[in-house]
Amino acid sequence: MNFLLLVVGLAVLIKSADWLVEGAASIADRFGVAPLAIGLTIVAFGTSAPELVVNLIAIFQGNTQLAIGNIVGSNIANVLLILGVSAAIYPLSVKSSTVWKEIPLALLAAVMIMIMANDMLLEGTSVSTLGRIDGLVLLAFFLVFLYYSCCVSKVAGEEETIKQMPMGRSILATVAGIAGLVIGGKLLVDSAVSIATDLGLSEALIGLTVVAIGTSLPELATSAVAAYKGQSDIAIGNVVGSSIFNTFWILGISATIKPLPLVPANNFDFLVSIAASTLLFLALFLGRRHLLERWQGFVFLGLYAAYLSVLVLKQ
């Protein structure tokens, strides 16, 4: 029953995010908000809504390991699973700005979390916590990333295509999206915790696997379809941007609202996240420059399978 509730919660969560984005974007467009601004705010934040809602519900219920596992696990899945699948479908050509700016920024985010999470090691404290000051620092970096994204989008002339709907339907979609996110997130978190308890698994393992992969499904679907259509920029930009959003925005706001206690076991997953971002950067200089080839995609998938195996064996 808990597995069924988890699937239902996940489905409601993902569909509700779509409703929220479509409704809010249509309302903003009717009030004359620029498509570029809508793309950088409502659409970008809306696609991160599942991870954010799951994290907020988890931390308020005291399931902090589930919240941390969700974000770190999503970032690892973004690189090794989603880019692995996408590159296996079609080789991904990566823009120079993504190689030299966005991927290093995602790597910086992973390294920052590793440093912030090791109070015991670096400061000799009795516990390690991702506290409110850490959260505010992450949010400050997030604002810098938003500014950078705005500048890049203006230079590239990118604009978000807005789906027009009647005002009444737009409001209904927005309200339904918000309500669905709360309901779906609650179902997902409660069922995930119950599954972990019933099977004798840790919350961290469920967060790093089932919840992380589940909340990353929209990115997986988007990138896989984009790769199939040969739209490499969308495929890889979607994944790298999501990883940066996850760390700076979602983990930042989570820690600001409620400090997150960490355990030494988290360091393994932080190291894997750093290694995944580093591997992505290096892979773009192996073989054909700035191209993630099919064989590299299969290597990424193999590494992700190995990572999941280690998680299960550690349990």
Side-chain angles (χ1 to χ4, degrees), residues 220-239:
L220 176 58
T222 301
S223 290
V225 171
Y228 180 75
K229 293 180 178 179
Q231 298 171 328
S232 298
D233 287 346
I234 294 176
I236 198 163
N238 171 54
V239 166

Side-chain angles (χ1 to χ4, degrees), residues 118-126:
N118 276 282
D119 298 333
M120 291 172 67
L121 179 64
L122 298 176
E123 297 183 7
T125 58
S126 57

Side-chain angles (χ1 to χ4, degrees), residues 63-198:
N63 304 311
T64 55
Q65 282 298 301
L66 182 67
I68 295 165
N70 176 37
I71 297 304
V72 180
S74 291
N75 288 350
I76 294 170
N78 278 347
V79 176
L80 298 181
L81 174 62
I82 298 177
L83 283 185
V85 169
S86 301
I89 293 172
Y90 191 88
L92 303 177
S93 175
V94 186
K95 290 191 298 186
S96 181
S97 62
T98 300
V99 173
W100 294 110
K101 295 177 182 178
E102 290 151 28
I103 293 176
L105 188 57
L107 176 57
L108 172 65
V111 171
M112 283 181 62
I113 293 302
M114 179 77 179
I115 294 171
M116 290 175 171
N118 276 282
D119 298 333
M120 291 172 67
L121 179 64
L122 298 176
E123 297 183 7
T125 58
S126 57
V127 293
S128 290
T129 305
L130 199 63
R132 287 195 170 92
I133 293 177
D134 297 325
L136 291 171
V137 170
L138 292 175
L139 290 176
F141 272 92
F142 177 65
L143 292 177
V144 173
F145 174 65
L146 273 187
Y147 176 75
Y148 163 77
S149 299
C150 183
C151 293
V152 169
S153 296
K154 284 180 178 178
V155 170
E158 296 173 4
E159 295 227 329
E160 188 73 31
T161 301
I162 309 302
K163 179 182 176 182
Q164 280 284 0
M165 296 189 294
M167 180 58 81
R169 186 179 167 191
S170 298
I171 295 172
L172 181 62
T174 304
V175 173
I178 294 171
L181 282 170
V182 174
I183 295 170
K186 185 78 165 58
L187 279 174
L188 181 64
V189 171
D190 288 349
S191 56
V193 172
S194 296
I195 290 170
T197 303
D198 293 343

